[in-house]
């Protein structure tokens, strides 16, 4: 007898895999009539209850997977991922689940690792981060053998898979509005990795909101590392017409930028205002403390894990907006100096 | 999708599970004819080789495990663990191994998770961190069913299991000598979690080295969090006879201590010298930059992973000294002010 999958039964019955899962698990979520029809079709196809029991509960790996496609040594710099993982672990620890974490050099290696995991049933579901435009991982998340997955990023990048996202455009617009209101007329932005979809979304919002407010935008590309953040800040501050405010795509680059300002003798906030993205102990530890677009990343990770468990239990795909980052004003931002 | 078990295949083929295991693993123990029949039945039932790899005792999970017994939300604060994990991942990624990370509330839960992992052969080996005096996890690491393991900590705490360690006592003695040489006569120490064995080892070295140099020691207990670090620093600075130098057990507490100094109007380094343990981007981002006992934690994690692979491949137990933290002097330390 060939192996019968939930997707096979769903196809034959003309219902979602979630509905099949509810019916076979004897859980609420489908009508009594649909349940009976699904059970009849499953029986006709040779689905055995014992097989169902093993695949739906007994045989779970009790593990969810997270693959990070980046150089391992960059992980230590970013508090984002440790806080995010901490949030995932909060939800996993309630269920005695483990997190299988693998670091790979690029997206191709991520796809290969993902395929190995699903062939070997190593994980019950996956968290997919750093979605890109036309992301090559998307087919893996929506094909017939797809593992339950949550994409951490804008629904426009998730290709119909479940997404948990933050409204970065709204947050950046608020930040530009705040700086423009303080009189800043030239505002710099130091970006994260250009290939990431959320970098592009922030680019568009920054371009549009500066234009709308009659502010001159200056964008420098970086990649989340302190070195690149320092170089980008130096470029913005030593240009012919230097900026008087800079918004960074993470906290580490903002701190590196603060170091460059100290070094160049540019006073913060009197001569230069700095804003970090994602608040962290680093922002509070800096002198002056850094104004930041503050988002509870631990809570974000927990939210993602909860949505993934819902998918594992058969919930349909969906998009879920997490809290929008809010501007936490501290000592690194202030009124623009009068132009000399 | 259902998982096919060895028992299912044995049932269908009318042979023992052992015979199935031999056949699927391509090992001697069954005739060529039986092997072929078993492989044909397994293929027909949808058995995949990768699935075999995980469930058969001879094969590897291609995963190593790390259990952290602490509140998940504290992980986001400490750059230590993310850097350490980054180092482990450097070595794992060369072999396409994953890291199974689980966060549990306490050591009892850690032991239970460890037992589950080894019963289910979920990991090929484990990294054991934060060893304690008379650590209840030690029997698991040396009994007959022990998984290959590396204890990250002093060999005196590892109960004969393989240990990778740093000579914290030597590092702390160097630091006390440096501060005494600058004229500091009362030196504070803000500790990490008291239950951890390395805290005790540092306590002994601090006590002995201050005594040897005729310096007055002051110890305040904390737990690696910024809140506890700030409270401990406040206690040291507002005492009747305040200290003129403080050594912290991590970087986050040192930064919090610097914040308390700013707040109390205590000038660093003119009135107060501060030293962090484990250098990090936080130490460089602070103003003034923090003098630190610098240890390449990413390289430490990679060292641990390499020793674990050696154990997995059959190397005997051993103790391996990692690089001793060296004092990196920056702006947060200087000569003691003359006593008024």
């Amino acid at each position: 007898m060939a192996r019968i999958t939930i997707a096979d039964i769903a196809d034959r019955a003309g219902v979602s895999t979630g509905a099949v899962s509810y019916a076979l698990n004897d859980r609420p979520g489908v009508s009594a009539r649909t349940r009976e029809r699904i059970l009849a079709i499953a029986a006709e196809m040779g689905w055995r209850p014992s097989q169902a029991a093993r695949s739906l509960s007994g045989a779970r790996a009790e593990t969810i997977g997270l693959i990070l496609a980046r150089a391992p040594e960059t992980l230590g710099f970013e508090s984002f991922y440790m806080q995010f993982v901490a949030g995932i672990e909060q939800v996993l620890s309630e269920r005695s689940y483990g997190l299988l974490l693998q670091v790979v050099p690029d997206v191709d290696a991520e796809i290969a690792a993902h395929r190995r995991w699903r062939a070997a049933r190593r994980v019950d579901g996956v968290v997919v981060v750093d979605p890109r435009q036309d992301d090559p991982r998307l087919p893996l998340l929506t094909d017939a053998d797809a593992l339950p997955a949550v994409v951490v990023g804008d629904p426009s990048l998730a290709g119909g898979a479940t997404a948990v996202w933050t409204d970065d455009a709204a947050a950046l617009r608020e930040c530009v509005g705040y700086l423009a209101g303080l009189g800043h007329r030239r505002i710099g932005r130091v970006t994260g990795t250009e290939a990431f979809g959320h970098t592009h979304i922030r680019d568009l919002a920054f371009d549009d909101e500066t234009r709308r407010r009659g502010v001159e935008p200056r964008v420098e590309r970086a990649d989340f590392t302190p070195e690149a953040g320092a170089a980008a800040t130096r470029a913005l501050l030593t240009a012919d017409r230097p900026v008087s405010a800079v918004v960074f795509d993470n906290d580490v680059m903002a701190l590196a930028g603060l170091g460059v300002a100290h070094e160049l003798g540019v006073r913060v906030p009197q001569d230069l205002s700095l804003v970090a993205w994602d608040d962290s102990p680093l922002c509070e530890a800096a002198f002056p403390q850094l104004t930041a677009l503050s988002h509870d990343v631990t809570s974000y990770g927990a939210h993602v894990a909860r949505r993934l468990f819902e998918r594992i239990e058969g919930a349909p795909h969906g998009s879920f907006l997490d809290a929008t980052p809010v501007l936490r004003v501290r000592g690194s931002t202030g009124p623009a100096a009068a132009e000399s």
Side-chain angles (χ1 to χ4, degrees), chain A residues 44 81 102 116 129 154 182 185 188 221 266 270 278 280:
Chain A
E44 181 193 321
Y81 275 108
Q102 189 157 346
R116 280 196 305 274
V129 296
D154 199 273
L182 287 170
R185 312 316 306 159
R221 297 290 167 199
V266 175
Q270 294 87 340
D278 283 334
S280 76

Side-chain angles (χ1 to χ4, degrees), chain A residues 272-294:
Chain A
L272 178 67
S273 288
L274 300 178
V275 181
W277 197 305
D278 283 334
D279 203 4
S280 76
L282 278 78
C283 296
E284 292 187 86
F287 185 79
Q289 292 190 322
L290 289 173
T291 295
L293 284 162
S294 178

Side-chain angles (χ1 to χ4, degrees), chain A residues 4-335:
Chain A
I4 307 300
T5 69
I6 292 179
D8 294 336
I9 301 170
D11 268 1
R12 181 81 68 92
V15 298
S16 69
T17 54
V20 173
S21 169
Y22 291 141
L24 297 178
N25 269 332
D26 199 23
R27 286 186 188 164
V30 285
S31 70
R33 193 171 158 176
T34 304
R35 182 188 315 274
E36 266 179 39
R37 194 163 62 83
I38 291 171
L39 290 175
I41 287 168
E44 181 193 321
M45 293 176 76
W47 180 270
R48 290 173 291 155
S50 60
Q51 194 181 11
R54 270 204 310 279
S55 65
L56 292 175
S57 54
R60 287 199 177 157
E62 298 193 334
T63 302
I64 72 164
L66 171 64
I67 305 176
L68 300 175
R70 50 177 63 202
E73 55 273 18
T74 63
L75 285 184
F77 290 124
E78 281 230 66
S79 58
F80 179 90
Y81 275 108
M82 204 67 204
Q83 292 182 35
F84 186 74
V85 164
I88 291 177
E89 292 284 359
Q90 277 180 357
V91 174
L92 264 54
S93 63
E94 292 163 8
R95 300 168 184 241
S96 299
Y97 263 60
L99 176 69
L100 185 56
L101 179 68
Q102 189 157 346
V103 178
V104 295
D106 54 37
V107 169
D108 288 342
E110 177 173 349
I111 289 172
H114 189 122
R115 284 188 195 286
R116 280 196 305 274
W117 283 2
R118 81 182 196 182
R121 310 228 127 241
R122 293 276 293 281
V123 296
D124 299 322
V126 291
V127 175
V128 175
V129 296
D130 298 330
R132 298 155 186 248
Q133 304 285 338
D134 303 315
D135 198 301
R137 297 169 296 179
L138 292 183
L140 277 175
L141 310 183
T142 48
D143 71 12
D145 287 334
L147 286 168
V150 170
V151 174
V152 182
D154 199 273
S156 68
L157 304 164
T162 290
V164 178
W165 63 295
T166 54
D167 191 346
D168 286 12
L172 191 49
R173 286 178 190 278
E174 185 199 353
C175 179
V176 169
Y178 162 73
L179 292 170
L182 287 170
H184 295 281
R185 312 316 306 159
R186 263 193 305 280
I187 302 178
R189 166 167 144 72
V190 173
T191 79
T193 306
E194 194 169 2
F196 293 169
H198 73 269
T199 302
H200 184 62
I201 287 169
R202 293 179 187 181
D203 280 347
L204 292 180
F206 186 67
D207 186 60
D208 187 65
E209 192 65 22
T210 48
R211 193 184 312 260
R212 216 172 68 79
R213 299 200 179 253
V215 169
E216 190 181 334
R218 296 278 177 88
V219 175
E220 284 287 331
R221 297 290 167 199
D223 60 3
F224 298 119
T225 65
E227 294 75 19
T233 308
R234 198 179 304 275
L236 289 170
L237 295 184
T238 57
D240 275 352
R241 292 152 45 92
V243 300
S244 65
V246 186
V247 186
F248 295 83
D249 260 357
N250 72 353
D251 53 353
V252 189
M253 294 196 298
L255 273 165
L258 179 60
V260 168
H262 283 317
E263 190 190 314
L264 295 177
V266 175
R267 295 169 305 161
V268 176
Q270 294 87 340
D271 306 325
L272 178 67
S273 288
L274 300 178
V275 181
W277 197 305
D278 283 334
D279 203 4
S280 76
L282 278 78
C283 296
E284 292 187 86
F287 185 79
Q289 292 190 322
L290 289 173
T291 295
L293 284 162
S294 178
H295 180 219
D296 185 338
V297 176
T298 303
S299 152
Y300 193 29
H303 183 184
V304 166
R306 281 196 306 274
R307 295 301 181 187
L308 182 55
F309 277 116
E310 289 175 7
R311 278 289 297 152
I312 290 169
E313 285 152 16
H317 288 296
S319 293
F320 305 97
L321 182 61
D322 200 64
T324 299
V326 295
L327 196 67
R328 183 157 299 163
V329 174
R330 298 204 185 91
S332 69
T333 47

